Amino acid sequence: MKIQMVDLKGQYQKIKEEIDNGIQDCIDNTAFINGPAVKEFQQDFEKYLNVKHVIPCANGTDALQIAMMALDLKPGDEVICPAFTYVATAEVIGLLGLKPVMVDVNEDTFDIDLNGLEKYLTSNTKAIVPVHLYGQSANMEKILEFAKKHNLFVIEDNAQAIGSDYTFSDGTVRKTGTIGDIGCTSFFPSKNLGCYGDGGALMTNDDELALKIRMIANHGQEKKYHHKVLGCNSRLDTIQAAVLKVKLQHLDEYSEARNRMADYYDENLAGISEIQTPKRAGNSTHVFHQYTLRVKNGKRDELQKYLAEKNIPSMIYYPLPLYKQEAFLQYVEEGFSLPVTEQLCEEVLSLPVHTEFNQEVLNVIVTEIKNYFN
């Protein structure tokens, strides 16, 4: 039995006819760039998210960069982001000559710590990038309140939580990625909604921002050969849009499958004192892009090694705080430390979770974890 972190082949086999037909249609029509499938997927995604504008682009990192360009952030401006996240969140901030200001996260839900927003706010702060890490929303209601009070932009990094619902205190429900000024996502193949190559998108309800985002992603032009702003070349290939158009129809089904796996893990690992299973926030649904344990008492690396010996894959997302990465040392003072982030980097371990698991595989994973701790 081969256990995988993500079974894209198994997923493909179930939707093979739809996928193959969509790709073949692109080839038959030779509509490889900005073909009909791009517009069709865009419209379907807007409807699914209940957002006015979806602007597809080449990848999730481009989406973050384009968002910051569209908000007219200038060199020297500070952008607050969590230190416990994938590099792309902070990487684009530095690439644009902005300053990434990294703050700590909550130890139970892994999202940005609201206390850090107040602590690291300065007169140069212009934006916040909350990351909906592992598949559930950050506390967007409080983040929006803080941003409004201090006149800050909010750019959601929603690469791991497409399909998640956030509920405000008044009962209003919004999809993650549609709550801030701009939402950004990735369609990397292993994402919950992934294509068969690179892809990404930006989401906004602001008409003027949408127009500017489209221009920036298309060489700064609104009309061909007339360039209003400096932009880039970032577009979603038609073949990838055809794949996404099919997979979008199954996204809620995929989320349900991931939740069934998570429920099984929760139930069967609950009795192990040295493991903390993922906490589910009360104001957000969880789509479990990753099922991430906290392994206590310094046993994380040993457990991972043991599982590998049993041919069970696992991953550490993420082993090093961003501010300890060589590329980001210039942005922090020597000795800078965020305690929760550093603790999580020593404890987190993500187990296999995807849409194609069967009970036998789950039993093997849980049994071996129990064997390790017994």
Side-chain angles (χ1 to χ4, degrees):
M1 169 189 319
K2 184 176 182 181
I3 302 175
Q4 302 177 76
M5 286 295 291
V6 180
D7 183 9
L8 294 178
K9 186 173 183 179
Q11 186 186 71
Y12 164 67
Q13 292 297 331
K14 291 185 177 180
I15 55 176
K16 183 179 188 303
E17 184 176 356
E18 299 169 86
I19 292 287
D20 290 355
N21 288 340
I23 292 174
Q24 190 62 53
D25 184 63
C26 295
I27 296 171
D28 289 342
N29 291 296
T30 63
F32 303 118
I33 303 295
N34 290 328
V38 178
K39 184 70 172 178
E40 292 165 3
F41 167 66
Q42 173 193 320
Q43 293 172 338
D44 289 350
F45 204 28
E46 287 169 346
K47 183 177 180 180
Y48 175 83
L49 295 172
N50 191 27
V51 68
K52 288 181 71 175
H53 304 283
V54 165
I55 302 96
C57 65
N59 56 68
T61 306
D62 275 8
L64 288 164
Q65 179 173 320
I66 292 166
M68 294 178 197
M69 292 170 70
L71 294 171
D72 290 327
L73 301 182
K74 300 292 191 296
D77 287 347
E78 295 178 359
V79 179
I80 296 176
C81 67
F84 187 66
T85 183
Y86 184 58
V87 65
T89 310
E91 180 180 40
V92 296
I93 301 172
L95 280 172
L96 292 172
L98 313 171
K99 181 182 178 181
V101 177
M102 292 164 276
V103 304
D104 219 342
V105 296
N106 294 303
E107 62 179 343
D108 49 1
T109 54
F110 312 122
D111 60 326
I112 195 166
D113 183 1
L114 299 175
N115 293 322
L117 301 182
E118 193 74 53
K119 182 177 180 179
Y120 291 100
L121 179 73
T122 75
S123 59
N124 292 322
T125 306
K126 296 297 186 293
I128 307 168
V129 186
V131 179
H132 305 314
L133 198 67
Y134 299 146
Q136 67 182 339
S137 181
N139 191 341
M140 289 303 296
E141 185 163 11
K142 295 297 184 183
I143 290 170
L144 290 182
E145 288 174 1
F146 183 86
K148 184 177 181 180
K149 178 180 178 181
H150 298 285
N151 195 29
L152 307 176
F153 296 114
V154 176
I155 304 166
E156 295 174 78
D157 185 335
N158 197 37
Q160 298 188 19
I162 281 293
S164 178
D165 291 322
Y166 179 81
T167 302
F168 287 82
S169 57
D170 65 359
T172 301
V173 179
R174 299 274 294 278
K175 291 287 187 187
T176 53
T178 72
I179 303 168
D181 295 283
I182 304 174
C184 303
T185 197
S186 165
F187 300 129
F188 188 79
S190 62
K191 301 299 185 189
N192 292 35
L193 179 61
C195 55
Y196 292 167
D198 271 321
L202 301 96
M203 296 78 73
T204 185
N205 285 299
D206 187 306
D207 295 340
E208 291 185 13
L209 268 180
L211 178 62
K212 193 164 187 181
I213 290 167
R214 287 192 183 95
M215 284 195 297
I216 292 170
N218 187 28
H219 295 292
Q221 61 186 352
E222 184 177 5
K223 179 182 177 183
K224 196 167 186 178
Y225 302 128
H226 292 76
H227 307 270
K228 287 191 173 183
V229 297
L230 291 176
C232 57
N233 178 26
S234 185
R235 56 198 172 203
L236 181 67
D237 288 345
T238 307
I239 287 177
Q240 303 304 338
V243 171
L244 291 166
K245 186 173 184 294
V246 172
K247 292 182 75 173
L248 179 59
Q249 300 171 38
H250 300 275
L251 180 56
D252 288 341
E253 167 194 331
Y254 293 160
S255 296
E256 290 168 6
R258 289 171 177 270
N259 268 271
R260 286 194 297 271
M261 285 192 64
D263 290 344
Y264 184 86
Y265 280 143
D266 282 354
E267 180 180 351
N268 287 276
L269 299 176
I272 303 174
S273 61
E274 291 166 294
I275 281 180
Q276 181 177 314
T277 55
K279 179 179 178 179
R280 309 192 195 194
N283 54 3
S284 174
T285 60
H286 208 314
V287 296
F288 286 100
H289 175 61
Q290 303 295 345
Y291 183 90
T292 303
L293 302 172
R294 290 181 61 191
V295 184
K296 305 298 183 63
N297 298 330
K299 293 187 175 182
R300 190 269 309 275
D301 293 348
E302 289 181 8
L303 174 60
Q304 186 179 41
K305 181 180 178 182
Y306 174 84
L307 292 176
E309 291 170 351
K310 303 297 181 180
N311 297 314
I312 297 172
S314 61
M315 292 292 292
I316 298 171
Y317 306 106
Y318 301 94
L320 196 64
L322 285 182
Y323 55 83
K324 288 191 175 182
Q325 301 281 358
E326 186 175 352
F328 294 97
L329 294 179
Q330 61 184 303
Y331 300 110
V332 294
E333 295 180 359
E334 187 174 353
F336 180 81
S337 176
L338 297 172
V340 175
T341 291
E342 296 194 13
Q343 184 177 9
L344 292 178
C345 288
E346 296 292 329
E347 294 182 349
V348 293
L349 186 68
S350 295
L351 300 181
V353 59
H354 55 76
T355 61
E356 309 307 312
F357 263 90
N358 58 52
Q359 195 62 48
E360 182 183 3
V361 170
L362 284 172
N363 289 341
V364 169
I365 295 171
V366 167
T367 297
E368 291 299 347
I369 292 174
K370 288 181 175 179
N371 286 343
Y372 172 80
F373 285 103
N374 286 337

